[in-house]
Amino acid sequence: MTENSPERVMLSREKLADAVGDRWSDAELGEALALLTRADGRFPAGVRTLPADLVKAVQRERLLAAMIDASVDIGYNTLTVQNVLTRAGISRPTFYEQFEDKEDCFLAAFDAAAGRMRGRVDAGMAEAGPSWRDQLRGGLVGLLGFVADEPKEARAVIVEARASTPAGLRRRDEMLDRYAACIDALVREDLEEPPSAIAAAGVVGGIESVLYTRLQRRETAELGELLPSLMYFAVLAYAGREAAGDELDDAALA
């Protein structure tokens, strides 16, 4: 894809349903997607067959998807509102009905992508065993799965936010702090003498650094292979070298 002729972003039914589906019927969502598909990813002019609020919500999701796409392809500091409009197939007045400026749109896109990422982490933890190591492993499986399945969203959250604006950097830092607090609370439930909360911040920072490098290099095809090493790093901080080594041994036997 070249910047002179970027591809129009297309919303999947799953992503649209996750974002706005609880407010409208499956039939209405299906009609919205059918209209977008027939018109190359944009609503035909003067569409009247859908509720106005649904059209507005879908337009918002298209702009968020276009912002993710543009920030990953061009970089936040280089992109313009026009880059987003071209990818979304949406007019400038419609953009400013939804967002104040490109930063406002990026922050909304960050929040949406970070929320989906946290949803995958939470789902992985919910399916895991009761121990803190099981829970941590399940969360990491969810995280690595999200990065592999949604590399652009993951790159926007982990890479582009770091180089965006002070507000974007704060969003990223707050996200990492929440993950660290989650790990710290998880460990404190199981360990009689857990280390300082700084340990959780170190674990999260190390995991984020590994993912940052992979995303920066656009190497997201084999992320599952990182799980044993990331678990070794995390367990080492809380249970020592022998317990951490078990993570590598178990992976070798699997």
Side-chain angles (χ1 to χ4, degrees), residues 87-219:
R87 285 166 166 75
I90 289 177
S91 69
R92 190 172 293 269
T94 299
F95 176 92
Y96 286 108
E97 288 173 4
Q98 300 268 9
F99 304 106
E100 293 182 4
D101 50 29
K102 81 168 188 176
E103 181 187 47
D104 188 33
C105 183
F106 179 79
L107 294 176
F110 176 97
D111 289 343
R116 288 196 295 274
M117 183 166 73
R118 183 57 190 262
R120 291 286 291 272
V121 171
D122 289 346
M125 293 176 65
E127 296 170 2
S131 75
W132 72 268
R133 286 171 66 171
D134 290 337
Q135 293 278 300
L136 183 58
R137 187 180 299 105
L140 283 172
V141 168
L143 174 63
L144 294 174
F146 175 83
V147 176
D149 294 341
E150 310 261 13
K152 288 194 173 185
E153 283 81 354
R155 182 181 169 93
V157 168
I158 295 173
V159 177
E160 296 304 327
R162 186 188 286 192
S164 59
T165 66
L169 188 57
R170 283 195 300 272
R171 284 284 216 286
R172 171 189 165 276
D173 290 345
E174 290 166 359
M175 176 189 71
L176 297 180
D177 287 345
R178 286 193 293 272
Y179 281 122
C182 178
I183 291 175
D184 186 63
L186 198 63
V187 171
R188 289 182 184 281
E189 289 182 1
D190 274 16
L191 298 183
E192 293 183 2
E193 297 182 6
S196 165
I198 294 175
V203 169
V204 170
I207 293 170
E208 189 266 352
S209 180
V210 171
L211 294 178
Y212 180 95
T213 299
R214 287 295 183 103
L215 287 163
Q216 187 78 300
R217 295 174 179 172
R218 303 181 189 271
E219 297 173 354

Side-chain angles (χ1 to χ4, degrees), residues 39-96:
D40 189 29
R42 63 186 302 171
F43 281 127
V47 59
R48 294 288 184 271
T49 58
L50 296 172
D53 286 350
L54 173 56
V55 172
K56 185 175 181 179
V58 173
Q59 300 286 54
R60 179 182 176 85
E61 294 306 312
R62 289 167 60 205
L63 287 166
L64 296 182
M67 172 57 77
I68 293 288
D69 195 71
S71 66
V72 168
D73 287 350
I74 306 170
Y76 174 82
N77 289 317
T78 303
L79 74 86
T80 65
V81 168
Q82 185 58 50
N83 297 132
V84 177
L85 300 180
T86 300
R87 285 166 166 75
I90 289 177
S91 69
R92 190 172 293 269
T94 299
F95 176 92
Y96 286 108

